[in-house]
Amino acid sequence: MGTNTSLNMSLIVRLREMAATGHGVCEMVRWLLESLSLDASKGRFMTIVYLHKAFCLSLGDASAAGAWHVFPGGTWSDEECEQFLLPRIRATRNQWM
């Protein structure tokens, strides 16, 4: 996954639109998994890559999404996921808007 060409730009644009209109991280990730036709057991990596690209997050910050309880072994509640990622997405808004 070394290039952006393997990512669907329309999904990235839609994630940005969702964030800009106040959708939560968990809602966006559920939508992304559905759009990619991936279940949570196979979608962790793609979720991280799309959050990283869509919101100019560091890989470390984007990787935190993998701790969400919908992914195998994840322990974070919806609230913990939102509390960690939403401020970081908002902080990079000037880079992705």
Side-chain angles (χ1 to χ4, degrees):
M1 171 118 330
T3 66
N4 291 347
T5 57
S6 59
L7 298 180
N8 183 326
M9 282 306 297
S10 66
L11 295 180
I12 291 171
V13 168
R14 180 66 186 132
L15 284 169
R16 291 173 176 172
E17 290 170 350
M18 291 175 79
T21 57
H23 293 268
V25 175
C26 297
E27 182 181 0
M28 290 187 289
V29 171
R30 284 186 180 101
W31 171 84
L32 179 63
L33 291 171
E34 184 178 316
S35 297
L36 292 170
S37 299
L38 295 173
D39 63 24
S41 66
K42 296 179 180 139
R44 184 187 318 240
F45 176 74
M46 292 306 295
T47 294
I48 292 166
V49 171
Y50 271 92
L51 290 177
H52 167 68
K53 295 298 182 187
F55 302 116
C56 307
L57 298 174
S58 71
L59 281 174
D61 284 348
S63 294
W68 188 32
H69 70 90
V70 301
F71 297 115
T75 58
W76 280 10
S77 67
D78 288 6
E79 294 78 21
E80 289 170 307
C81 189
E82 296 288 345
Q83 288 174 358
F84 184 85
L85 285 168
L86 204 51
R88 286 159 176 80
I89 289 171
R90 288 180 179 148
T92 61
R93 184 178 175 123
N94 65 331
Q95 297 173 48
W96 52 265
M97 279 299 293

